[in-house]
Amino acid sequence: MAQESPKNSAAEIPVTSNGEVDDSHEHGFNRDLKCSLPAGLGLSETQITSHGFDSTKEGVIEAGAFQGGQRTQTKSGPVILADETKNPAMEKLELVRKWSLNTYKCTRQIISEKLGRGSRTVDLELEAQIDILRDNKKKYENILKLAQTLSTQLFQMVHTQRQLGDAFADLSLKSLELHEEFGYNADTQKLLAKNGETLLGAINFFIASVNTLVNKTIEDTLMTVKQYESARIEYDAYRTDLEELNLGPRDANTLPKIEQSQHLFQAHKEKYDKMRNDVSVKLKFLEENKVKVLHNQLVLFHNAIAAYFAGNQKQLEQTLKQFHIKLKTPGVDAPSWLEEQ
């Protein structure tokens, strides 16, 4: 009688009717193990997978992050941080480099022009208009200075006439024998002082208008002229660089430099043309404004002086009304903003 050999549970492999391995026991074991785990270990899902008897691995325990009953695998890789922000120090350094290079080119151009070695771009018609403007500005400044001197002297004379009239009036009251004579002179000096104040108002208005024309309108145009001259120097400097590069050899090293120089030359040429057009327009409008302003002011100055020395008080006052000039009464302060309301 044959003796039945003992069975090893590890070697028992259940087989279905189709001849396939029945793994229902394995899944049942995994389910029982999962249910037996404490609630605190629910952060991850644990799965035990057993392999066949002939496998080299006896068992694998896989653990993954638990998300909704499914296990997800986390893929790790190199992290690349894109630094899109530029360094401010490098930007400032680049600006300083461009400014230094531009200053060097312009300085070299100015020196070469003064030494007679470099060529310069000249617009004969525009340069002539600029020279006339600068010469006229000097002459207008001289007229303005003389008019201010006249105003100061006239103010002193009017002040003296007013004091003299007060002195005559006081003596007219105290000297009975010469009462009429002192009274006539007092009235004359007071009338002269009044007419002098009227003439002083006309002269001061003339000075204010000419000062605005010289130190604001003409000065603004001359500032545009200075910008035009700077643009002209930059244009000639980059034009000279391009001409020197074109005279040299053309190879792989010089062609990029020629292209860059051509690009910079074109940019400065456009700037130069724009500034030249701006100066032409401003000179045209300045001439029209200058003629209009000086025409009115010269008529005012002439009529006021003529009426004053002719002793025509009515004509003098009419001249001030014609140009809407209001005189400030001596000793009376300007009304406050509450009184004006």
Side-chain angles (χ1 to χ4, degrees):
M1 184 177 180
Q3 187 177 1
E4 187 178 355
S5 59
K7 297 181 180 181
N8 191 349
S9 61
E12 291 180 356
I13 301 177
V15 180
T16 62
S17 60
N18 294 329
E20 297 179 355
V21 179
D22 187 5
D23 56 353
S24 60
H25 296 284
E26 177 183 348
H27 292 293
F29 174 74
N30 290 336
R31 183 172 61 252
D32 296 338
L33 180 61
K34 186 188 297 186
C35 293
S36 64
L37 289 175
L41 297 179
L43 296 176
S44 63
E45 178 188 4
T46 305
Q47 180 179 357
I48 301 178
T49 304
S50 62
H51 299 272
F53 184 77
D54 56 347
S55 176
T56 56
K57 299 181 179 179
E58 296 183 353
V60 178
I61 300 178
E62 298 180 357
F66 181 77
Q67 295 181 355
Q70 295 182 354
R71 179 178 54 87
T72 59
Q73 295 181 354
T74 305
K75 296 182 179 180
S76 61
V79 179
I80 301 176
L81 298 178
D83 187 12
E84 297 180 355
T85 59
K86 296 181 179 180
N87 190 354
M90 295 302 295
E91 291 182 354
K92 291 182 180 179
L93 185 61
E94 181 65 18
L95 291 176
V96 171
R97 187 189 69 82
K98 291 181 179 180
W99 175 83
S100 301
L101 183 61
N102 186 73
T103 304
Y104 164 74
K105 291 179 181 293
C106 294
T107 304
R108 186 182 63 176
Q109 177 67 24
I110 294 173
I111 294 176
S112 62
E113 290 179 3
K114 290 184 177 181
L115 296 178
R117 298 176 181 176
S119 60
R120 64 188 299 264
T121 304
V122 179
D123 189 332
L124 296 177
E125 182 180 358
L126 188 61
E127 293 289 340
Q129 294 178 2
I130 293 173
D131 291 339
I132 292 175
L133 176 63
R134 285 173 172 163
D135 184 61
N136 287 338
K137 183 174 184 291
K138 293 180 181 179
K139 294 178 180 179
Y140 295 154
E141 287 175 343
N142 184 43
I143 290 177
L144 185 62
K145 182 179 179 181
L146 294 174
Q148 290 173 343
T149 302
L150 177 62
S151 176
T152 302
Q153 294 174 351
L154 181 61
F155 175 79
Q156 295 294 335
M157 185 182 71
V158 169
H159 181 66
T160 302
Q161 288 174 340
R162 189 181 299 108
Q163 289 181 333
L164 188 59
D166 293 340
F168 283 146
D170 183 62
L171 290 173
S172 175
L173 297 175
K174 295 181 179 180
S175 300
L176 299 178
E177 299 83 359
L178 300 174
H179 171 73
E180 294 183 358
E181 289 78 0
F182 280 124
Y184 294 153
N185 283 275
D187 294 339
T188 302
Q189 294 300 321
K190 290 180 179 180
L191 179 61
L192 289 175
K194 182 180 179 181
N195 292 340
E197 291 174 355
T198 306
L199 176 62
L200 190 61
I203 294 177
N204 289 336
F205 185 78
F206 171 82
I207 291 173
S209 300
V210 175
N211 181 67
T212 302
L213 175 66
V214 173
N215 294 322
K216 291 186 178 181
T217 309
I218 296 181
E219 187 64 28
D220 178 70
T221 304
L222 290 178
M223 288 296 296
T224 307
V225 170
K226 291 180 181 179
Q227 295 175 1
Y228 157 75
E229 292 175 344
S230 299
R232 197 274 308 166
I233 293 175
E234 292 179 352
Y235 165 71
D236 285 336
Y238 284 92
R239 175 182 57 82
T240 303
D241 281 351
L242 181 60
E243 292 175 352
E244 293 177 354
L245 290 174
N246 287 330
L247 293 176
R250 291 177 174 268
D251 52 21
N253 294 328
T254 58
L255 283 178
K257 295 181 180 179
I258 294 176
E259 293 179 359
Q260 183 182 8
S261 180
Q262 178 70 32
H263 175 71
L264 294 174
F265 165 75
Q266 189 64 30
H268 285 86
K269 183 178 184 300
E270 293 176 358
K271 180 181 178 182
Y272 166 72
D273 292 338
K274 180 181 180 299
M275 293 305 305
R276 180 175 59 182
N277 183 62
D278 291 346
V279 170
S280 299
V281 172
K282 281 201 171 185
L283 286 174
K284 180 181 178 181
F285 284 115
L286 174 64
E287 186 66 23
E288 296 175 357
N289 187 36
K290 181 191 71 175
V291 171
K292 181 179 180 180
V293 170
L294 288 182
H295 170 75
N296 294 332
Q297 296 305 315
L298 291 174
V299 170
L300 166 67
F301 192 82
H302 171 268
N303 292 344
I305 293 290
Y308 173 78
F309 284 101
N312 192 341
Q313 180 182 1
K314 184 177 180 181
Q315 181 64 31
L316 184 60
E317 294 177 352
Q318 185 65 29
T319 300
L320 267 66
K321 291 181 180 179
Q322 179 183 354
F323 291 92
H324 307 286
I325 301 175
K326 295 182 179 181
L327 297 179
K328 181 179 178 181
T329 305
V332 178
D333 296 333
S336 64
W337 64 273
L338 288 175
E339 295 175 347
E340 291 178 353
Q341 296 297 329

